Amino acid sequence: MIELQVLIELSTAFIAALISMASGKLYWNIKEDSETVLTSFKLKADLTRYDFLAYLVGELFLLITFIIYAVGGIVESNAMIMFARVQIVGFLGVITYGVLRMWWRSR
Amino acid sequence: MNLIITLFASVSAVLTAFIFYYNLKIVRKFREDEELTATKLVIKQGVPDAFMALSISSMFFSLGAFIGATLKLLKIDLFQYFSELGVITMLVGLLTFMKRIEDAVTEGEKNEAENEESRETEKQKENDSEQKKEKYSEEDSQEDSEEDSEDGEEASKNEDEG
């Protein structure tokens, strides 16, 4: 059981690092392109709208996940807590996908 | 009942609800703004900082999860809730991200309106200056013709004297 927990934590750390890297690079890309004509044009076209829609769905799932987490804390169910942890990794995956896509287009 | 986990999960749920709310606002604005003219302006102002906030907070999250994994791997019962702390920082970062972009979209809309106004005034100025130029050119041509006629009179006088 401990090994599974470690695996979950490590995958969370990895995905969070990926988000951090992608959004940091996106920051520099936008900052370097001082007129931001290129960046803004690419970002506005088709990306932003659908990315934020994707986030919206992800956040709804995350809200449900945290409720499950809280219930797991109340009834002290380890399985529920673990399920919530896996779900959090899944939601982070959605964010990672969105940020990576933005970064890819802003280059 | 595990008090810490319950507390953490409920705080996270509230934060997520706020994030959801701001995200919904953003999506609505994108929908209203069909040509996405406002969003284009926005990206210059608040958005880079928003991405920086997301980057830093997710870095903390990554660190927290990594420390948590290491502690569990080494079976040290020092403090079990590093990754929970990480999740909270991540959510706060995401909240600032959404809030900033939401603000930026409204600012962009305002700026767009201001830009349109300035464009209109510029057009008016251009029209005014063109009209003035036309007037000046007309006056110049009139003066030229007067000078020509004066020259002609002088020439005729010279001819008479001759």
Side-chain angles (χ1 to χ4, degrees), chain B residues 90-102:
Chain B
M90 172 83 194
L91 287 177
V92 171
L94 205 61
L95 190 63
T96 42
F97 174 79
M98 291 297 172
K99 181 82 175 59
R100 287 230 172 189
I101 286 187
E102 199 266 326

Side-chain angles (χ1 to χ4, degrees), chain A residues 2-3 5-6 9-10 12-14 16-21 23-28 30-31 34-37 39-41 43-46 48-49 51-60 62-63 66-67 69-76 81 85 88 91-92 95 99 102, chain B residues 1-3 5-6 8-10 12-14 16-17 19-21 23-24 26-27 30-31 33-37 39-41 43-44 47-52 54-56 58-59 61-70 72-73 75 80 83-84 87 90-91 94 97-98 101:
Chain A
I2 285 170
E3 277 74 14
Q5 274 188 347
V6 171
E9 299 260 330
L10 276 180
T12 316
F14 174 70
L18 213 62
I19 294 173
S20 178
M21 188 206 74
S23 52
K25 284 210 167 189
L26 199 51
Y27 170 77
W28 282 116
I30 296 171
K31 204 82 177 172
S34 58
E35 289 182 1
T36 64
V37 183
T39 321
S40 60
F41 182 72
L43 280 182
K44 75 163 182 161
D46 56 338
T48 4
R49 188 185 302 196
D51 282 340
F52 282 105
L53 271 175
Y55 287 160
L56 210 61
V57 176
E59 277 150 19
L60 203 65
L62 192 68
L63 199 64
F66 279 125
I67 291 166
Y69 209 146
V71 173
I74 290 167
V75 300
E76 288 195 358
I81 291 172
R85 295 303 288 269
I88 289 169
F91 168 69
L92 283 179
I95 294 191
V99 175
M102 277 190 188
Chain B
M1 180 172 157
N2 196 334
L3 193 69
I5 280 190
T6 313
F8 148 77
S10 38
S12 306
V14 171
T16 315
I19 294 168
F20 185 82
Y21 170 69
N23 201 345
L24 200 68
I26 293 169
V27 170
F30 277 128
R31 270 198 151 176
D33 185 24
E34 282 286 316
E35 291 175 8
L36 293 171
T37 36
T39 21
K40 187 176 137 198
L41 284 164
I43 281 152
K44 292 176 191 170
V47 174
D49 297 337
F51 280 110
M52 200 63 192
L54 190 63
S55 177
I56 290 170
S58 47
M59 199 176 72
F61 184 21
S62 179
L63 264 177
F66 192 70
I67 291 169
T70 318
K72 265 174 196 149
L73 202 65
K75 293 178 182 171
Q80 295 177 1
S83 40
E84 275 80 357
V87 170
M90 172 83 194
L91 287 177
L94 205 61
F97 174 79
M98 291 297 172
I101 286 187

Side-chain angles (χ1 to χ4, degrees), chain B:
Chain B
M1 180 172 157
N2 196 334
L3 193 69
I4 294 175
I5 280 190
T6 313
L7 203 68
F8 148 77
S10 38
V11 169
S12 306
V14 171
L15 279 175
T16 315
F18 273 113
I19 294 168
F20 185 82
Y21 170 69
Y22 283 121
N23 201 345
L24 200 68
K25 268 187 157 182
I26 293 169
V27 170
R28 268 191 189 165
K29 265 168 193 157
F30 277 128
R31 270 198 151 176
E32 281 171 14
D33 185 24
E34 282 286 316
E35 291 175 8
L36 293 171
T37 36
T39 21
K40 187 176 137 198
L41 284 164
V42 160
I43 281 152
K44 292 176 191 170
Q45 296 162 357
V47 174
D49 297 337
F51 280 110
M52 200 63 192
L54 190 63
S55 177
I56 290 170
S57 64
S58 47
M59 199 176 72
F60 274 112
F61 184 21
S62 179
L63 264 177
F66 192 70
I67 291 169
T70 318
L71 286 183
K72 265 174 196 149
L73 202 65
L74 298 174
K75 293 178 182 171
I76 301 169
D77 284 339
L78 186 68
F79 180 70
Q80 295 177 1
Y81 305 104
F82 272 108
S83 40
E84 275 80 357
L85 277 178
V87 170
I88 296 274
T89 43
M90 172 83 194
L91 287 177
V92 171
L94 205 61
L95 190 63
T96 42
F97 174 79
M98 291 297 172
K99 181 82 175 59
R100 287 230 172 189
I101 286 187
E102 199 266 326
D103 284 349
V105 173
T106 41
E107 273 177 32
E109 276 175 357
K110 276 179 204 164
N111 281 351
E112 183 63 23
E114 281 170 13
N115 278 1
E116 274 180 8
E117 278 176 16
S118 64
R119 265 180 222 153
E120 279 175 9
T121 50
E122 274 177 15
K123 272 185 186 176
Q124 280 182 352
K125 276 181 188 174
E126 277 178 10
N127 285 338
D128 290 348
S129 60
E130 276 177 11
Q131 282 177 358
K132 277 180 187 174
K133 272 181 191 172
E134 281 173 9
K135 274 184 185 176
Y136 280 131
S137 59
E138 279 174 11
E139 282 173 9
D140 284 347
S141 61
Q142 279 180 1
E143 279 173 10
D144 286 344
S145 60
E146 279 172 12
E147 278 174 11
D148 287 345
S149 59
E150 279 173 12
D151 288 345
E153 281 172 11
E154 278 176 13
S156 59
K157 277 178 188 176
N158 286 337
E159 276 176 11
D160 291 344
E161 281 171 7

